[in-house]
Amino acid sequence: MSDELDPAIAALLSETETSLPENRSYNLPAGNPAPEAPKAPASDSFSQSMNFQKETPSIPKSSSNGDFHEADLSVKQFSPIEKFFEETPNPVFDDQNYYKTTLGGEGQSAQRLHQILVKYLNCTDKKDRTVYRQQIVSAYWEFMRSLAVKMAYPTTPLCKHFAMRYGVLLPSLFSPESKDFFSRAIIKNTTGEPIMYIDEWITEIATGRLKMSATDEVKTSSKGPAAEQQRVMALKSKNSGKLHSVEALVTAKESERLSLEHEIQNRVSDLFVHPPLIGHEPHTQPYSEMQRKSFAEITQRFHTLQKIDRELTNYIKELQEAKSVADSLEAKAGSLQVEEINVGKEDILNEMTTIRQMAKMTCGRQGNQFPVFTREFFHSFDKGTGFRENVIRELSWIESIDPECFCRMHRNVLHRIVPYVLLVPTYGDYGFCWEPFDRYNRITSRGRICIPMYPRDLRTACLTAVADLRWQVAKEKASFDWMTDGLTGHYYQYVEDQKMKGDVKQFFIEDYILWMTKESNGTQKLEKEVRAIFWHYMPFPQELKDQLKKRSLAYQELYQRDINRSMSDGY
């Protein structure tokens, strides 16, 4: 960005610093209705035309359908994205009152952000500009805390949602190209996938549909309706895991029983077939040798059928108990959800503190943590920006190469569980896993990963997040033996043998990116030991394996190992 100020920005920021509304604060305990928008005197230019309900567009009420919180174990892949952008651009960024409406009514936090932003955009000295740039970071996140408590209210203007969702405070900081595809971005979550922008995430937290992110630094309230709501949600989550798991086992046993019944039925039907005794009609021949053998086979299958029935009976009993507990908890939760907002203001602010930590982690210590959207730092194209649809496209590509990346094994059954994905408007390059799964429900709960929206390469950002998820899930599964067993154990032993110094997980993430981008194409970039570990614990689809074995002896040897393992007893 040049030192010369954009004329449009200069005209907008030529207002006096006192043109913001006077310092006002909202006291928004859980369950209170949305406050009336403050009406300032006519001379208050930043607060004119501030009737949120009538004169400013608001986020559609169904922007987050909320149907994705319970993992559907029958879904095996992402649905193809049919539309990435709207055909008609949203006019919200053309509203000349966008900046005034966004900051209006937010009190001291908006006043401070406005003052620092004016100094930053008008500053020509590089050292002073760096100082103001650092000050904007803290001022911006304080302003976001003010916005967060209003995200669940339907009367909150759309521009406030976009300030939190995209980091867009001043539409004048757009380039013409970026303004075009941001204005055509799809607002509502029509995908049914648990992928959310910050404003949607906070709305789900505030309404109690999504639990607060686990952290050692932020403590949640231990008293009052919000605490009881969280306790019930934890119990529901834990029971939900058991319910989904038992349902999958019941379905598997029913399928196994049906298959065995068909076999028995076919073999018994064969016993009724008696060819005529040649020359002694109408007499028929005795049982054939094959028919006599089927007596023992049918008896053996009946024993197996009895065993399946006993197991099915136990699973159905567990299912009925879990369903009874689920109904009881649902009734309890229903009695608590009297108002739309079920979480207190303090809990919402705590979640914003956690999200700020997430945003910082996407950038890294040396990264660009500037939080406001500006063409100075934004260099992505429309398909490389972390919009929801683009992220689903990248995650779908990852899953096509690593089919088990979102799967967890329970009782020898693989459950595909897509994690919650939080999209943060940062210029970071690193996605990461915040929680591998809910500690109360390790079976079917969703993990949580965070992906920056404005990285240099969106695919790499998604790969780092999935790699981190892969590592943490495997580590939690191995528990105390994570340095000796499973994926993490074998990889850790490799790092130790090579006497590599540094973060083991970071080495794994870098190798995972090579595994997905190079090795999947037959380009050998990994060490032989690492390739063998990944081939066994993070296998490619069978079709890809069949192709790779023809490309190199290295893959052919690994392919043969698979065959040998499948023939061994301990596979």
Side-chain angles (χ1 to χ4, degrees), residues 14 295 332 354 545:
S14 62
F295 287 132
K332 178 68 174 177
T354 303
K545 285 184 175 183

Side-chain angles (χ1 to χ4, degrees), residues 276-293:
L277 187 62
I278 305 300
H280 298 280
E281 293 82 355
H283 300 292
T284 58
Q285 295 183 12
Y287 290 118
S288 66
E289 189 66 28
M290 292 295 295
Q291 287 175 320
R292 293 190 188 97
K293 286 183 179 179

Side-chain angles (χ1 to χ4, degrees), residues 14 22 33 42 45 47 66 84 101 123 161 196 206 237 246 250 258 335 373 383 387 392 402 422 437 526 539 547:
S14 62
E22 60 183 354
S45 59
S47 297
F84 286 89
T101 306
C123 182
H161 280 272
M196 291 172 276
S237 178
V246 174
V250 168
L258 183 62
S335 65
F373 181 93
K383 293 295 180 70
F387 295 130
I392 291 177
D402 182 7
L422 174 62
F437 40 71
L526 296 175
Q547 296 174 13

